[in-house]
Amino acid sequence: SAQKVDGGFELRLQGLDRPVRALQVDVKLAGAKATKADALAGSDVIEAGLDQPKDDFTVVVSDTRRLNIPEGSVVKVSTDEAPSTITLSRALAVDDTGARREINVVVP
C-alpha cells in the first residue's frame, strides 16, 4: 500500500504469506512528481529511475545480502507537491525461497 507522509509517501508491505527479499511495483501519481526514493528498514538497493522528476515510474527494492524485507514501510518517495492520488500496480516480489510472487495492491 501507499501511505501519504510529510514530503511524499511511503510504500508499505503488510500481511504477507511469506517473507520477501525483493519488491517491484509500478507507481503513477496525480498532482505531483516524485523526486527521490529512499529505502527504509535496512534494505540496501533501491531503484526508481528518478534522475529527473516523474509521475510514472517503477520502484525496485531489495538487499544485496539476500535479507528479507521486513513488513511495514520499505520505501519513502519524496515528491515536489502532495499527490492527489497514488496508484500502485503490477506489484511483484521474490520470496525467501526465490519464487516470484504477485503482491496484492491495497488502496487506502
Side-chain angles (χ1 to χ4, degrees):
S1 65
Q3 171 96 27
K4 291 181 184 180
V5 296
D6 199 26
F9 63 95
E10 292 178 350
L11 296 176
R12 299 181 51 86
L13 282 174
Q14 57 197 43
L16 300 173
D17 293 337
R18 296 194 59 87
V20 299
R21 292 189 177 155
L23 171 70
Q24 173 181 311
V25 62
D26 292 345
V27 181
K28 286 189 181 188
L29 304 176
K33 292 194 180 211
T35 58
K36 180 179 166 188
D38 294 302
L40 304 172
S43 297
D44 66 358
V45 177
I46 179 80
E47 177 59 47
L50 296 175
D51 49 332
Q52 61 186 14
K54 296 181 181 175
D55 59 1
D56 188 354
F57 55 99
T58 301
V59 173
V60 179
V61 63
S62 66
D63 195 290
T64 56
R65 300 162 292 186
R66 296 181 54 159
L67 298 176
N68 295 334
I69 300 171
E71 288 195 30
S73 296
V74 295
V75 174
K76 178 174 191 267
V77 178
S78 300
T79 58
D80 59 356
E81 302 284 333
S84 56
T85 61
I86 304 164
T87 304
L88 306 178
S89 62
R90 296 184 350 181
L92 301 171
V94 175
D95 72 16
D96 59 339
T97 67
R100 183 176 142 178
R101 295 182 165 267
E102 286 189 34
I103 301 289
N104 292 328
V105 174
V106 178
V107 179

